[in-house]
Amino acid sequence: MLLGAVVVFGCTPTAEAPPDDATTSEGMVVWITDGDTIQVVVSDQEVEVRLAGINAPEREECFYGPALDHLIDTLRDKAVTMEIVGDDQFGRTLAHVFEGERYVNEEMVTSGLAIATTDDGDPRSPALLAAEERAAANGVGLWEPEACGPVDESRSVEIDGSVSVTDPPGPDEETLGEEWVVVANRGGAVVDLEGWTLRDESSRHRYTFPAGAMLDPGRALQVRSDDAGWAPGGEPVWNNDGDMALLRDQHGNVVSRWRY
């Protein structure tokens, strides 16, 4: 449940001109599905478009509503220009979306309504990752310390990137038990992790800490990719070429963020 969250919007991002070989298309937005998916009519055909390079909260997650509402306010019944980068696994068109001079993908990240996703092949990926850094540093949107509810001693817990292993030797699908990240308690009180979640950049991988998951002061624990708490489970979690680990408390507040 979202508790009194206030989204602070800065200046509207504008993007550099598209690459010379970019494929662009124009259309009219007729529906907004969620904070990163829209329906656009192009040449009398309705196309489902996924905003490239970002990932907005899922329906059951904190800040789903503000992300959806902002995209509705920004794009409903608006003409847009799309810079096409390909298709996703669901057949949706992946695109950087512009409403006039407004670069919508980056605005969602700048406003703390979505995270950036790593894509070395997308020339706009660095700008989106930089926008996430600014939003997190400024505590904007989902990065606000109490965006989703009250916090307590949880702020003493962090992802310890210095000892995390995300690319073990061998085929990833055969070494799930050797792929892990470390969560450490740097504070002076025991922290109850029940109901907390650990996730990557994608909409797919979520680990939920079980009942009885207590983390003593000065102690750390490993979360391995073959642990039973992962949904869907049974597959590699962390991308070898760059990803983000995001630790959230039982309310959905971001407790720790680690990029590599």
Side-chain angles (χ1 to χ4, degrees), residues 229-250:
W230 283 105
E235 62 186 35
V237 174
W238 311 105
N239 293 330
N240 296 339
D241 56 355
D243 205 332
M244 176 177 65
L246 200 64
L247 181 67
R248 300 178 298 181
D249 67 16
Q250 71 274 26

Side-chain angles (χ1 to χ4, degrees), residues 22-158:
T23 299
T24 60
S25 181
E26 296 183 354
M28 181 70 66
V29 177
V30 295
W31 187 257
I32 292 87
T33 305
D34 54 31
D36 53 33
T37 309
I38 60 179
Q39 301 284 338
V40 184
V41 172
V42 180
S43 300
D44 297 325
Q45 291 189 338
E46 191 167 316
V47 179
E48 187 173 24
V49 177
R50 176 68 157 76
L51 275 63
I54 75 170
N55 195 359
E58 300 302 304
R59 182 177 297 274
E60 70 281 3
E61 295 177 334
C62 174
F63 256 76
Y64 170 84
L68 172 62
D69 291 345
H70 181 68
L71 210 55
I72 290 173
D73 292 342
T74 302
L75 292 182
R76 180 170 51 189
D77 299 327
K78 297 289 184 64
V80 295
T81 299
M82 296 172 291
E83 184 182 307
I84 311 299
V85 298
D87 298 321
D88 69 4
Q89 68 269 36
F90 304 109
R92 299 175 297 189
T93 297
L94 286 169
H96 296 283
V97 177
F98 303 86
E99 191 272 310
E101 295 297 318
R102 193 174 196 169
Y103 179 22
V104 179
N105 306 47
E106 186 176 350
E107 181 178 288
M108 293 296 291
V109 178
T110 298
S111 302
L113 297 172
I115 65 170
T117 57
T118 306
D119 185 351
D120 291 339
D122 186 343
R124 296 202 185 275
S125 183
L128 295 173
L129 291 169
E132 183 191 284
E133 291 288 343
R134 293 192 300 270
N138 294 330
V140 176
L142 62 87
W143 307 109
E144 197 277 321
E146 295 190 356
C148 307
V151 298
D152 43 33
E153 71 275 1
S154 66
R155 290 298 156 189
S156 66
V157 180
E158 65 180 29

